[in-house]
Amino acid sequence: VKRVIGLPGETVTIIDGLVYINDSSEPLDEPYLKEIPVGDFGPYVVPEGCYFVMGDNRNHSNDSRYWNNTFVPRDNVYAKALFSYWPRLFLIN
C-alpha cells in the first residue's frame, strides 16, 4: 500500500527527505512518518490520469521514486485503505 503524494498536473520535488509540491516554500506536513526521511529526488511532473506515490516507511520503500514506470495510472488504483492492523490490511472499494 502506498500513499498518493502527487496528483495529476502537480510537480513533486523531494529535498533532504522533505516533499514539496509545485515549488511550495513549505514541505508537506507528514506526521504519519515514523522516522526522518532522507534523500533528494525529482522534480517529477505528474501526467494527467496518473499519481505519484510513496510508502510511509520512506527510507526503505520501493515506490514511485525508484520504479521504471514512475507514475501509477488511475486505472491501477483499486481501493482505498480503510485501516491497517499489522500484518493485515483492510481495503474498501
Side-chain angles (χ1 to χ4, degrees):
V1 173
K2 303 296 181 202
R3 190 177 297 270
V4 172
I5 299 297
L7 300 173
E10 291 182 335
T11 299
V12 178
T13 306
I14 302 154
I15 302 169
D16 293 330
L18 300 176
V19 178
Y20 296 86
I21 304 296
N22 294 333
D23 297 320
S24 172
S25 60
E26 292 294 320
L28 290 181
D29 180 26
E30 299 185 288
Y32 44 81
L33 299 180
K34 301 296 184 206
E35 64 183 359
I36 297 171
V38 296
D40 296 334
F41 302 89
Y44 304 96
V45 178
V46 184
E48 288 303 315
C50 294
Y51 300 99
F52 184 89
V53 300
M54 296 174 75
D56 287 357
N57 187 4
R58 284 294 149 79
N59 296 329
H60 306 285
S61 179
N62 182 7
D63 53 37
S64 284
R65 297 169 293 170
Y66 302 105
W67 297 339
N68 288 333
N69 298 320
T70 305
F71 308 103
V72 177
R74 171 64 181 106
D75 293 344
N76 290 359
V77 177
Y78 298 108
K80 178 180 177 180
L82 179 61
F83 65 92
S84 177
Y85 180 79
W86 184 260
R88 298 187 186 275
L89 181 69
F90 300 89
L91 302 173
I92 58 170
N93 288 339

